[in-house]
Amino acid sequence: AALATEPEALKAALLARLADPVTPAEHRAKADLESGDFLPGRGLLDMKSGLAVGLAALEAFAAVPERTGNLLFVAVPDEEVNSVGARALADALPQLQADHDIDLVAAINLDAIADDGDGSHGRAIALGSVGKLLLTAFVVGQPSHACYPFSGVNAGALGAALAQELEWNPALADTAQAQAGMPPTLLSIRDGKAGYDVTTPETAFLIWNVLSLGRGAEETFASFRALVDTAAERFAEKLTERQRVVMGDAIPSPQKALVIEAATLLGLAKSDAANRAALETLAGRLASEGHSLPEQCRQLTEAAWRCSGLRGPAVVVGMGSLPYPAVALGDDPQGARLREALEAARNRAVLRTGQPIRIEPFFQGISDMSFLGQAQVADVPFIAANTPAWTSGVRWSGQVCHLPTINIGPWGRDYHTPLERLYTPYAFDVLPGLVLETAMGVLEQKR
């Protein structure tokens, strides 16, 4: 009885806090909670309600007297912990199928969707999920005293030139399958100085989020490197132009930065046995200390640069984290079976509720579908070679489940905030039946 009152107590507390709303988000939250159609709770929308939908479908399936096949419910740590659970499932699945003599034919992911409108966007089934690469640039300059800037090349300024060139650049927006892919955006830029002094930064490190609808990693990386090279060339030309205004031709023009791939740099550094051992020791230590994957890659790249014997200015282009392969529902017989079952279940749900439910080609956020679905992973060795922390920090075999996979999830608003809330009529009254009927439709066809 005490547990049953907790949502109402939380709702009352939030409404008291929102008595005088200020921001648009607060006004919307107040109206939602007063409507009675939204249930508040941190983690409720992302992802507890999706898991509850799966359990409800499983319970209803178990009550069917003469059911066909079986449903397997798997709860895994989410993608915000680098999809540890989904990757472990992909590795364990072959043995699981052998041990239990089962033939897995499809998967339904239960990820949530945020919708600040009337729910028409949130009521959606996704046939695939976007992919993601975390692209990085380790910038090496030639430090100088601030009173004598022409004596060097400022790594921070060169990094800023890269950031300007790449931000929203359509050359890195994947337009596969006639979809409008999102262009890249910068997630982090920092120099390597430990504290304040009047020496220009020697190094800088930048990280970009780059999404994919199916474009291969090698093609994406080649475009990325070309943009970095263009930015480095323009930067050197701009510095030359400005230096000549002050100094004429009295001193040499600034050198254009060398652009080198992380795989090439690591190969150079590890060609010496002592350097290789030192880098492996550092990699193990960074992983054991719990540094983020991008930070592990930054420190390993810096160490490899010190070992390489190369000199700046330079930019080392690489990757800084676990990749999320783009996944799409295939046209093979298993994919067609799942598509037919979900369309039939969707049509019945629309007739029952009078509410449209859309079918979208891609779930727009990264998700565990990347490791459950029919993803292309041929580029994984290339990605691994350019990710310095691959064997020590990422530790992914490249295995995916290769199951036809779709996403059917709840919707709500403001997840990851104190105002997170679930739209209950769809989550409680529509989704369990939609998930169950889709699953049963696949199993009936398989029979």
Side-chain angles (χ1 to χ4, degrees):
L3 288 175
T5 66
E6 287 183 6
E8 289 302 319
L10 175 59
K11 178 179 173 181
L14 282 173
L15 282 172
R17 174 187 161 189
L18 296 169
D20 296 307
V22 177
T23 67
E26 290 176 343
H27 280 280
R28 188 165 50 241
K30 183 173 185 291
D32 285 347
L33 295 175
E34 289 175 342
S35 74
D37 288 335
F38 286 82
L39 186 66
R42 289 296 297 268
L44 182 61
L45 176 61
D46 184 25
M47 279 288 301
K48 293 181 176 64
S49 59
L51 298 176
V53 166
L55 289 172
L58 202 69
E59 182 180 36
F61 180 75
V64 177
E66 298 181 2
R67 56 188 179 273
T68 299
N70 296 279
L71 297 184
L72 176 66
F73 178 82
V74 181
V76 298
D78 69 7
E79 74 283 349
E80 290 161 22
V81 194
N82 295 314
S83 288
V84 173
R87 289 187 286 136
L89 174 64
D91 287 336
L93 203 55
Q95 189 61 50
L96 184 150
Q97 292 184 88
D99 290 346
H100 296 276
D101 191 25
I102 56 177
D103 178 22
L104 294 175
V105 295
I108 299 176
N109 196 51
L110 301 165
D111 233 317
I113 299 175
D115 186 341
D116 284 339
D118 62 1
S120 57
H121 174 74
R123 296 188 303 271
I125 300 167
L127 305 183
S129 186
V130 299
K132 172 187 173 179
L133 291 174
L134 201 70
L135 300 184
T136 65
F138 180 77
V139 182
V140 183
Q142 295 170 329
S144 65
H145 191 285
C147 291
Y148 306 101
F150 298 138
S151 299
V153 175
N154 189 318
L158 176 53
L162 303 185
Q164 182 180 39
E165 179 69 26
L166 269 87
E167 189 68 12
W168 298 358
N169 196 310
L172 281 179
D174 187 355
T175 56
Q177 303 190 31
Q179 296 292 305
M182 285 293 107
T185 192
L186 183 73
L187 296 183
S188 175
I189 179 171
R190 52 176 289 198
D191 65 46
K193 296 177 70 168
Y196 172 78
D197 57 38
V198 291
T199 303
T200 60
E202 181 180 5
T203 66
F205 191 63
L206 298 88
I207 306 170
W208 290 270
N209 187 78
V210 181
L211 300 178
S212 166
L213 303 179
R215 180 173 57 183
E218 290 193 57
E219 180 183 351
T220 299
F221 198 69
S223 297
F224 171 59
R225 176 174 179 162
L227 291 172
V228 168
D229 195 73
T230 297
E233 183 173 6
R234 290 175 177 168
F235 180 72
E237 291 172 351
K238 180 63 69 175
L239 289 189
T240 298
E241 175 186 321
R242 292 174 177 175
Q243 176 183 279
R244 285 176 178 167
V245 171
V246 179
M247 303 294 293
D249 294 322
I251 57 176
S253 299
Q255 180 184 352
K256 175 188 173 294
L258 166 73
V259 179
I260 182 173
E261 295 183 5
T264 303
L265 175 67
L266 291 168
L268 286 173
K270 292 180 179 180
S271 62
D272 178 85
N275 288 341
R276 181 169 61 253
L279 287 170
E280 289 172 355
T281 299
L282 175 61
R285 178 175 65 78
L286 293 173
S288 67
E289 289 175 350
H291 295 280
S292 69
L293 289 176
E295 176 60 14
Q296 291 180 46
C297 289
R298 184 193 70 81
Q299 292 198 38
L300 287 169
T301 303
E302 182 169 18
W305 177 263
R306 305 292 183 203
C307 293
S308 71
L310 298 173
R311 298 185 63 188
V315 180
V316 183
V317 290
M319 303 185 195
S321 189
L322 174 77
Y324 278 75
V327 60
L329 186 61
D331 294 326
D332 58 299
Q334 283 193 325
R337 185 184 303 125
L338 177 55
R339 188 187 303 264
E340 182 178 339
L342 79 89
E343 287 179 347
R346 189 275 302 261
N347 292 339
R348 287 192 293 270
V350 169
L351 285 175
R352 284 197 301 268
T353 65
Q355 294 284 333
I357 300 174
R358 300 179 306 121
I359 295 182
E360 296 288 335
F362 290 98
F363 181 75
Q364 291 301 317
I366 60 171
S367 73
D368 287 333
M369 293 175 72
S370 288
F371 307 100
L372 299 175
Q374 296 166 300
Q376 298 299 319
V377 292
D379 284 339
V380 167
F382 174 81
I383 297 170
N386 283 286
T387 307
W390 186 269
T391 56
S392 55
V394 176
R395 297 191 297 273
W396 178 39
S397 67
Q399 177 77 17
V400 296
C401 294
H402 281 298
L403 286 170
T405 304
I406 58 175
N407 189 81
I408 307 177
W411 74 269
R413 313 201 210 274
D414 293 326
Y415 51 42
H416 294 201
T417 80
L419 298 179
E420 181 171 349
R421 56 201 182 276
L422 170 73
Y423 184 72
T424 57
Y426 187 67
F428 294 171
D429 302 333
V430 179
L431 276 185
L434 180 57
V435 169
L436 177 61
E437 289 182 25
T438 300
M440 292 183 69
V442 173
L443 293 173
E444 286 292 335
Q445 291 182 61
K446 180 64 176 176
R447 183 179 66 173

